[in-house]
Amino acid sequence: MTETGTIRLFASDMDGTLLDSHNHFNQKKMKQVVDLLRQQKKHFVLATGNQAMRINKFFSPFDPQGDVISMVAENGAYIQKGHQRLHQSVINPIKVRRIYDLLQVLDTKPTSAVFAGEGSSFAPDWQESVQNPKTQIFFAGTISDFYPNWQAIDSFYQITIPIDKISLNWKQDSGQQFLDMLENDPLLTGLRTPTSGFGAIDIVNAGADKATGLQRLANDLKIPAGQMAAFGDGLNDLEMLQYVGQPYIMPNSQAELKQYFDKSRLTAADNNHDGVLDTILAILSR
């Protein structure tokens, strides 16, 4: 963390950070932020485990030109500058098939398991979130909330696009049995499993993370890390927060994340009270 002057890029996690506990955000303040960023020729990045389709659903109306808002989606596996895809880190199909098979032999299967790629996602039909689509899988959302274009499948061969992230959620289990299988399987090297700490585990390629995604955007935008600020609430935000010049954590962050930062890095308000947007507005108004 090195502060080197004016902040030119603001990056924020979504769930538990920018979005409140009902998956909403203050649209009036968001418009104010985007308008000020455009006037000052600065940038806003959604850095999240969410799929690009969900991000666009929330934020494209605020930036139809694509000159302010970019994204580091799928926990770093999918990077988009404005409306242009910069990078997608696709998981080897052999590894995707192996994970698909392993999930079916677990003693405790995940509440949801989603194989996500650009423009679509696939959910095996044995899981609770498919059999009961109203099942909440993460924060206050269902599978349809997080994956707008998902399809139920009963065979691996119904996955028709390259997969860049596999997302797993357990209600009553940590997923440790699966993590042990993943770690000990010689076919599954070169993967990483960022976790939010809220019952969600993502599987992406090693080297795909929010910090690396910001670096790719920074190279394209010619913005040094010291001129970036970032907001997060979970352990999957840690690399990003350590990378930027000005990290901010939410008062509602998990305790494990708070251990890495001084209390001065807390936003004044939590995710239910516009903590991210108020902080950005204050910085832009200086």
Side-chain angles (χ1 to χ4, degrees), residues 207-236:
D209 59 63
K210 294 183 181 184
T212 303
L214 279 183
Q215 284 180 301
R216 287 182 181 273
L217 277 173
N219 290 339
D220 197 83
L221 295 168
K222 297 179 172 53
I223 299 175
Q227 294 181 0
M228 298 181 187
F231 301 81
D233 74 310
L235 286 176
N236 64 332

Side-chain angles (χ1 to χ4, degrees), residues 51-66:
Q51 193 179 29
M53 288 184 66
R54 185 176 191 237
I55 300 170
N56 285 325
K57 176 182 175 182
F58 277 113
F59 298 103
S60 287
F62 296 93
D63 184 31
Q65 304 98 312

Side-chain angles (χ1 to χ4, degrees), residues 215-280:
Q215 284 180 301
R216 287 182 181 273
L217 277 173
N219 290 339
D220 197 83
L221 295 168
K222 297 179 172 53
I223 299 175
Q227 294 181 0
M228 298 181 187
F231 301 81
D233 74 310
L235 286 176
N236 64 332
D237 300 314
L238 180 59
E239 294 106 334
M240 171 178 73
L241 293 167
Q242 292 176 327
Y243 170 68
V244 302
Q246 292 192 27
Y248 293 92
I249 61 173
M250 310 304 293
N252 53 285
S253 295
Q254 62 186 108
E256 292 87 346
L257 182 67
K258 289 181 178 179
Q259 293 176 1
Y260 288 91
F261 298 96
D262 185 84
K263 289 183 178 179
S264 65
R265 305 318 305 180
L266 285 169
T267 58
D270 63 16
N271 66 311
N272 285 320
H273 298 89
D274 305 334
V276 171
L277 295 176
D278 283 347
T279 302
I280 295 175

Side-chain angles (χ1 to χ4, degrees), residues 107-159:
D107 295 333
T108 303
K109 292 183 174 62
T111 306
S112 72
V114 180
F115 294 74
E118 184 177 15
S120 192
S121 54
F122 305 86
D125 61 5
W126 46 256
Q127 61 191 280
E128 181 183 350
S129 61
V130 171
Q131 296 170 6
N132 178 10
K134 293 184 179 180
T135 299
Q136 295 199 349
I137 62 172
F138 189 60
F139 286 94
T142 66
I143 189 171
S144 295
D145 292 324
F146 289 96
Y147 299 94
N149 197 27
W150 71 278
Q151 304 172 45
I153 59 173
D154 60 15
S155 165
F156 169 79
Y157 296 103
Q158 291 175 294
I159 297 176

Side-chain angles (χ1 to χ4, degrees), residues 1-284:
M1 181 183 78
T2 304
E3 297 190 25
T4 60
T6 302
I7 298 301
R8 297 169 55 201
L9 183 150
F10 298 86
S12 179
D13 176 50
M14 284 177 59
D15 302 294
T17 303
L18 181 60
L19 302 186
D20 66 22
S21 56
H22 300 288
N23 288 324
H24 299 149
F25 61 97
N26 189 314
Q27 297 197 19
K28 181 179 179 180
K29 288 182 181 178
M30 187 71 208
K31 183 179 185 305
Q32 291 174 340
V33 164
V34 173
D35 288 346
L36 283 171
L37 289 170
R38 181 173 289 112
Q39 291 169 19
Q40 298 180 24
K41 300 187 184 307
K42 296 178 180 179
H43 300 271
F44 186 76
V45 177
L46 282 310
T48 172
N50 280 265
Q51 193 179 29
M53 288 184 66
R54 185 176 191 237
I55 300 170
N56 285 325
K57 176 182 175 182
F58 277 113
F59 298 103
S60 287
F62 296 93
D63 184 31
Q65 304 98 312
D67 60 340
V68 174
I69 298 177
S70 297
M71 68 177 75
V72 175
E74 308 283 29
N75 268 319
Y78 186 90
I79 303 163
Q80 184 172 305
K81 176 191 172 188
H83 301 315
Q84 174 192 3
R85 184 182 74 182
L86 287 185
H87 178 74
Q88 183 183 21
S89 181
V90 173
I91 302 173
N92 186 311
I94 295 173
K95 297 179 182 181
V96 176
R97 172 62 189 269
R98 181 62 172 163
I99 292 168
Y100 183 94
D101 291 341
L102 286 177
L103 290 172
Q104 298 185 78
V105 301
L106 291 175
D107 295 333
T108 303
K109 292 183 174 62
T111 306
S112 72
V114 180
F115 294 74
E118 184 177 15
S120 192
S121 54
F122 305 86
D125 61 5
W126 46 256
Q127 61 191 280
E128 181 183 350
S129 61
V130 171
Q131 296 170 6
N132 178 10
K134 293 184 179 180
T135 299
Q136 295 199 349
I137 62 172
F138 189 60
F139 286 94
T142 66
I143 189 171
S144 295
D145 292 324
F146 289 96
Y147 299 94
N149 197 27
W150 71 278
Q151 304 172 45
I153 59 173
D154 60 15
S155 165
F156 169 79
Y157 296 103
Q158 291 175 294
I159 297 176
T160 56
I161 61 172
I163 298 301
D164 54 38
K165 186 191 75 170
I166 302 166
S167 183
L168 310 174
N169 294 79
W170 279 265
K171 271 187 177 180
Q172 308 294 336
D173 189 81
S174 66
Q176 191 58 51
Q177 181 192 12
F178 174 77
L179 290 174
D180 291 342
M181 294 169 74
L182 191 71
E183 183 178 352
N184 294 313
D185 194 312
L187 283 177
L188 297 177
T189 58
L191 300 173
R192 63 186 296 267
T193 54
T195 173
S196 68
F198 297 103
I201 296 171
D202 286 347
I203 303 168
V204 294
N205 281 326
D209 59 63
K210 294 183 181 184
T212 303
L214 279 183
Q215 284 180 301
R216 287 182 181 273
L217 277 173
N219 290 339
D220 197 83
L221 295 168
K222 297 179 172 53
I223 299 175
Q227 294 181 0
M228 298 181 187
F231 301 81
D233 74 310
L235 286 176
N236 64 332
D237 300 314
L238 180 59
E239 294 106 334
M240 171 178 73
L241 293 167
Q242 292 176 327
Y243 170 68
V244 302
Q246 292 192 27
Y248 293 92
I249 61 173
M250 310 304 293
N252 53 285
S253 295
Q254 62 186 108
E256 292 87 346
L257 182 67
K258 289 181 178 179
Q259 293 176 1
Y260 288 91
F261 298 96
D262 185 84
K263 289 183 178 179
S264 65
R265 305 318 305 180
L266 285 169
T267 58
D270 63 16
N271 66 311
N272 285 320
H273 298 89
D274 305 334
V276 171
L277 295 176
D278 283 347
T279 302
I280 295 175
L281 286 170
I283 293 172
L284 293 175

